Amino acid sequence: MIDFDTALALVLNEARPLPCETVALEAAGERVLAADLTARGDAPRTAVSAMDGYAVRDIDLARLPARLPVAAVAFAGRADVPVLAPGTCARVFTGGPTPHGADRVVVQEIVGREGDDALFEVSPGPGTHIRAAGSDFATGDVLLAAGTVLGFRAMVAAAAADVPAVSVVRKPRIVILGTGDELAEPGQALETPGSIPESVSFGVAALARQCGGEVLARRRLTDTPELLEAAARLALDEADLVVVTGGASVGEKDYARAMFAPLGLELIFSKVAIKPGKPVWFGRAGGVLVLGLPGNPTSALVTARLFLAPLVAGLAGRNPAALLQWRDMTLTAPLKPCGDRETFERGRLAGDGVAGLEVQDSATQKALATADVLIRRRPGAGGLGAGDAVAILDF
């Protein structure tokens, strides 16, 4: 049995980005760029108006009031750029090309109109309201660096680069195997004597997707060795990462590791000195990573947050360290002394502080849903009072 920091280091050592693939821009949201994204052209391609108004030469407004005939109209999307002759103006709209020879755009709110003439009676002020060609970015500029997560803001920049597809890190393909004779699909448990709803895989799948993974399947398995081995073989053929829930202790029907043994399982670690979650294990079989989580819901979700989340993020090309940002916060209520294992208590934020949940049982599900953070307690730590500082991690 190893300590938490050692186990986490072993997980992070495997959390390396998968190979890249090219996907259509439409499908690239929340993916991670595998290469710098550069602009195919200038933006804007020519000088354009930043306002609805009238393009003029400064010399023609040297004396006010001034009356200038409207010699051209430029809407956004006009392909050609008109030339502004001396002594004239052009009606322009936001995004429309600014005529050659124009020095500024005068906003329409301070311009009068009589027939085909525009009337300028007040000073237009210092702003030119013209966006110069290439003022946003130029051809070849790096708009998004490799490693960028294509969130909603980055997607705008990616589309502005005028590319139909992008190179991204492949999403880790994940199969979740839930083991246990007692498990039934939600909606069927009450009709099945001796069963409980299989709940853990739903939380694990949601967390994996949130961290950049693609969950190919969730499979509920009975504790039948032949069935388990067949399911393990199939999962290894499909996935980059297999997550097994349950069957990780030392009972007569704890087959989680045994199901992978005939398939060449190589353990990276077998137990971790933490509470909850001591039975968590990690290994590789047939070149595929396998993470075993405890069957109790809270134990499973705590270990998934500590180990699975950074592992999936790293495989997806994200920064695993971003999911391991511990910070100090003040307790609003006392905590009992800690046992001989490093403990991750579930807590809830309360104003500028944090309080541990009253229910810390590893099988609880109702209380699990109310937790905001994990509170890290070192082995053998004494009791703490309100006002003491603790290290917390978003949960």
Side-chain angles (χ1 to χ4, degrees):
M1 188 159 58
I2 61 177
D3 63 77
F4 169 70
D5 288 327
T6 301
L8 180 59
L10 291 169
V11 169
L12 295 179
N13 186 59
E14 302 294 333
R16 296 183 295 271
L18 293 170
C20 65
E21 62 181 355
T22 299
V23 301
L25 188 62
E26 179 70 25
E30 298 304 320
R31 302 291 293 273
V32 178
L33 279 178
D36 292 348
L37 182 62
T38 58
R40 292 184 61 232
D42 297 344
R45 295 167 67 180
T46 186
V48 296
S49 176
M51 304 288 286
D52 294 340
Y54 294 83
V56 300
R57 294 172 178 267
D58 283 343
I59 194 171
D60 293 325
L61 297 187
R63 291 186 178 183
L64 297 175
R67 175 187 290 266
L68 301 175
V70 179
V73 178
F75 291 94
R78 177 169 174 170
D80 64 313
V81 181
V83 176
L84 188 64
T88 67
C89 68
R91 182 74 166 109
V92 293
F93 295 88
T94 303
T98 303
H100 293 304
D103 296 308
R104 72 180 60 249
V105 172
V106 182
V107 297
Q108 64 184 16
E109 288 81 1
I110 62 172
V111 181
R113 189 72 184 258
E114 287 186 0
D116 293 333
D117 292 341
L119 306 178
F120 302 85
E121 297 183 341
V122 299
S123 171
T128 64
H129 303 302
I130 294 175
R131 297 186 179 116
S135 57
D136 189 356
F137 54 81
T139 304
D141 280 356
V142 175
L143 303 190
L144 298 168
T148 299
V149 179
L150 292 171
F152 66 96
R153 298 187 308 275
M155 283 296 291
V156 172
D162 195 28
V163 294
V166 291
S167 177
V168 295
V169 178
R170 183 165 61 76
K171 282 187 174 184
R173 298 166 300 199
I174 301 167
V175 172
I176 304 170
L177 304 178
T179 68
D181 288 336
E182 74 280 14
L183 302 179
E185 282 297 303
Q188 301 176 12
L190 288 180
E191 290 74 33
T192 309
S195 69
I196 59 173
E198 195 286 299
S199 60
V200 172
S201 70
F202 290 89
V204 171
L207 178 62
R209 293 188 186 103
Q210 181 179 311
C211 297
E214 178 184 2
V215 178
L216 300 182
R218 291 182 310 99
R219 298 184 181 127
R220 180 176 50 84
L221 307 172
T222 58
D223 293 323
T224 306
E226 297 79 8
L227 174 65
L228 292 171
E229 183 181 333
R233 189 179 302 275
L234 175 61
L236 293 178
D237 288 339
E238 299 172 304
D240 302 297
L241 170 63
V242 180
V243 181
V244 187
T245 66
S249 294
V250 291
E252 291 185 5
K253 288 192 174 183
D254 288 327
Y255 299 128
R257 275 177 278 178
M259 63 195 281
F260 291 95
L263 306 175
L265 176 64
E266 299 175 2
L267 282 174
I268 297 172
F269 60 76
S270 60
K271 288 182 181 180
V272 182
I274 58 174
K275 182 181 179 181
K278 180 176 71 172
V280 63
W281 59 275
F282 185 46
R284 186 185 296 274
V288 177
L289 295 170
V290 184
L291 178 65
L293 303 178
N296 279 328
T298 293
S299 297
L301 269 293
V302 169
T303 50
R305 175 62 184 87
L306 295 173
F307 299 118
L308 177 66
L311 176 60
V312 173
L315 294 173
R318 303 185 183 192
N319 180 12
L323 293 171
L324 299 168
Q325 297 295 315
W326 293 90
R327 63 187 189 275
D328 289 336
M329 187 163 280
T330 302
L331 284 173
T332 61
L335 290 180
K336 296 179 181 179
C338 188
D340 59 357
R341 280 182 281 158
E342 189 154 2
T343 301
F344 297 92
E345 298 190 23
R346 279 69 65 203
R348 185 160 182 81
L349 299 175
D352 294 330
V354 63
L357 300 184
E358 291 186 8
V359 178
Q360 293 288 331
D361 188 278
S362 63
T364 183
Q365 296 171 90
K366 179 181 177 181
L368 179 65
T370 68
D372 294 318
V373 297
L374 296 178
I375 303 172
R376 187 174 187 177
R377 308 287 310 282
R378 300 293 181 175
L384 296 173
D388 288 337
V390 288
I392 67 167
L393 178 71
D394 290 332
F395 183 37

